Amino acid sequence: MPLDHDLAARMAQPDFWPLYSFDATAVRAHDEARGEAGEEDEEEFRTRFLPARELGLELRFEPGFSYVDLAVVSPEAAEPEIVGWDDTAHFHPHVMPWSELDLLCRATALHDPTLRHPGAMSALLLRFAFLTEQDDLDTITPFTDAAFAETCPHRISDAVVLSTGPAGTAPADPAHDIAHGAVRVREETRAWFDQRDLRGTGVTWSTRPDGHRAVHQEKDSGTHLYSSRAPEATEEEFPFTAWSRLLRGATRTLEDAGAHPALRRPETRRALDRCAEPDGHTQLSRLATALRAAGLTEGPLLRAVTRPSSRAEAAWAVETLAGLPQGRVAAAWFGRSPLADARTWYLDLTLAAAGHGSRFGSTFAAELSAALEETGLGWAETTGSTSVRDAKGGYVHASDLLTVLVRDDLPAAVRVIARRLQAHGAARTADLRHSGAPRERIPLPEPS
């Protein structure tokens, strides 16, 4: 089933991805534009993906409400069964590991040649996938980058950021970085990594007594697992049976594609073995010649070998044709992920309101965010405020609360935060802590 026409057209508009990521500025602009146009009905988009016969996924997105959900579609259920949802309040987006998302996208691409992988499906559904210790960034990063490159072409010029490098160095011009061997990923890829990296947070996968896989979190690390796919969940809370059937159907789709008689020919096997090597992407034309000579003259896999939309697409095609494990060829072709050493921290910064203007919190957050972004260290935003009763029984503004995301170099980011606080005379009363338990306080360095 091709991507819904209305959704495909909406995805081509520059504000789609900011809305899909619940960017507050984009949401306000969207609401204002609809109000000025007199549009009362909110936008709603639905699209289905079919990785297996009669088994699929339905995605529903409501931009005006900052809401998106994912459901399983099967003949046994009268209505799609929700597996996860994302919003700005009571979200449960942690549905699947990368390996399952990749499997479903590959199978869908085989069923529907218009839905290439990586592409729109993987870009849209990445918000329902997350990272744990079992996941391999060497495999995941190139697919994620390619998915966003395919679906966000209008953002290519400003979407790549330096993911590694000396602490505190600002992202440079992309052409300069490429020429000097700098390793880069797209900003959308890094943002997904920041939001969905649950490695080291006590998240583990297990098999339930009924044979279905479930996920749970053993400790409170500040980065929480929000999933209905829990070991103790009922079928009403998470459709385990339908989800397992969907994965089995997708697996059969890939197995059937890899069972073509042409793939048993010695010449084809030699060409596939050569393509599985680190420089195998240079041998795709020879593989295509061998496939055609053996009788495989059409289909999504041959197209992925002869006219790939990205090197990642050719990689999974070779894996499917050769019967290799997911990610084996991609890891060989792309090497070590630029995110391999990446780290993300979430911090809580509390600013005392006394002695400052009423808008100090929002002004400081914007200033701090700009300073962190300029050095490639993260961003900051206001998340609330506190008030206390005064002697007359009323309430007065007591403090502002900020969330700070730090990338890769925590000490450097803390120095930036300290300098900004000192410039406003707010360092002595500010409180900086890790967001996760045990919420350790982070000392601020003295002015140098």
Side-chain angles (χ1 to χ4, degrees):
M1 177 179 291
L3 191 68
D4 175 76
H5 175 76
D6 290 338
L7 177 58
R10 192 68 176 86
M11 288 175 66
Q13 298 177 16
D15 69 334
F16 176 83
W17 287 105
L19 285 172
Y20 194 69
S21 61
F22 302 161
D23 177 80
T25 302
V27 172
R28 283 195 301 270
H30 168 270
D31 293 343
E32 291 171 1
R34 292 182 64 80
E36 292 173 359
E39 299 178 5
E40 297 181 358
D41 295 333
E42 288 293 340
E43 291 182 291
E44 178 179 301
F45 300 97
R46 292 175 184 262
T47 195
R48 289 191 175 185
F49 307 103
L50 297 178
R53 187 183 301 275
E54 297 185 317
L55 297 169
L57 296 167
E58 180 178 275
L59 180 76
R60 180 167 64 99
F61 173 42
E62 299 179 69
F65 293 108
S66 295
Y67 179 85
V68 58
D69 66 38
L70 184 66
V72 177
V73 179
S74 65
E76 289 75 22
E79 296 291 336
E81 299 175 272
I82 300 292
V83 293
W85 65 94
D86 205 2
D87 56 24
T88 57
H90 305 293
F91 37 81
H92 274 64
H94 299 135
V95 174
M96 56 187 143
W98 162 260
S99 59
E100 291 183 359
L101 173 62
D102 186 36
L103 169 66
L104 295 170
C105 290
R106 293 181 185 205
T108 301
L110 292 174
H111 267 292
D112 183 357
T114 68
L115 286 172
R116 304 183 75 151
H117 174 53
M121 180 178 175
S122 46
L124 289 166
L125 300 192
L126 269 165
R127 74 184 315 141
F128 295 104
F130 59 98
L131 297 172
T132 59
E133 273 68 19
Q134 293 79 16
D135 294 307
D136 182 4
L137 282 171
D138 293 352
T139 296
I140 297 170
T141 306
F143 278 89
T144 305
D145 256 7
F148 287 123
E150 285 294 308
T151 53
C152 310
H154 54 276
R155 296 186 66 191
I156 286 178
S157 61
D158 62 359
V160 286
V161 295
L162 194 64
S163 62
T164 58
T169 56
D173 176 71
H176 176 276
D177 289 332
I178 293 171
H180 290 78
V183 182
R184 302 170 70 88
V185 295
R186 290 184 64 95
E187 170 60 26
E188 297 94 340
T189 298
R190 183 60 200 256
W192 174 79
F193 173 84
D194 292 338
Q195 297 164 2
R196 294 294 185 257
D197 183 14
L198 296 187
R199 295 173 302 164
T201 66
V203 172
T204 59
W205 289 93
S206 60
T207 301
R208 293 163 30 120
D210 58 10
H212 303 306
R213 290 188 77 205
V215 64
H216 67 285
Q217 190 171 38
E218 297 176 348
K219 64 181 180 179
D220 180 5
S221 65
T223 304
H224 300 289
L225 173 75
Y226 294 101
S227 180
S228 299
R229 194 175 173 178
E232 69 279 3
T234 65
E235 283 281 340
E236 288 71 29
E237 293 169 317
F238 186 91
F240 286 98
T241 300
W243 187 260
S244 296
R245 188 182 300 122
L246 178 69
L247 295 178
R248 290 196 298 271
T251 300
R252 285 195 297 271
T253 297
L254 288 172
E255 290 173 346
D256 291 345
H260 194 283
L263 303 179
R264 294 194 293 268
R265 295 275 296 270
E267 297 82 356
T268 307
R269 298 311 305 180
R270 283 195 292 271
L272 285 168
D273 290 344
R274 184 66 182 88
C275 283
E277 296 176 4
D279 65 343
H281 54 88
T282 65
Q283 304 297 314
L284 290 173
S285 60
R286 294 185 179 182
L287 173 60
T289 300
L291 291 172
R292 290 192 182 100
L296 183 60
T297 58
E298 61 182 359
L301 291 176
L302 182 63
R303 181 186 63 182
V305 170
T306 57
R307 303 185 307 280
S309 60
S310 64
R311 189 180 295 180
E313 182 184 32
W316 79 259
V318 170
E319 290 169 359
T320 302
L321 293 166
L324 295 173
Q326 284 176 253
R328 173 76 62 80
V329 172
W333 286 6
F334 289 92
R336 192 167 186 265
S337 167
L339 293 176
D341 297 322
R343 290 285 308 277
T344 304
W345 294 268
Y346 283 90
L347 311 180
D348 293 331
L349 177 60
T350 304
L351 304 175
H356 301 285
S358 60
R359 297 189 58 80
F360 174 62
S362 58
T363 301
F364 182 84
E367 180 182 310
L368 175 59
S369 192
L372 291 170
E373 290 172 7
E374 181 182 0
T375 53
L377 291 171
W379 49 259
E381 65 180 6
T382 55
T383 52
S385 62
T386 62
S387 300
V388 296
R389 283 185 178 274
D390 60 15
K392 298 179 181 180
Y395 286 90
V396 295
H397 183 197
S399 63
D400 292 289
L401 309 177
L402 280 65
T403 293
V404 182
L405 179 141
V406 174
R407 289 174 169 171
D408 303 332
D409 193 334
L410 181 59
V414 171
R415 289 193 293 271
V416 172
I417 295 169
R419 285 195 296 269
R420 292 294 89 214
L421 289 169
Q422 290 154 7
H424 288 276
R428 292 187 180 278
T429 55
D431 184 83
L432 182 65
R433 296 178 182 270
H434 287 280
S435 296
R439 289 183 49 79
E440 298 168 316
R441 186 169 185 173
I442 301 173
L444 296 171
E446 296 293 330
S448 56

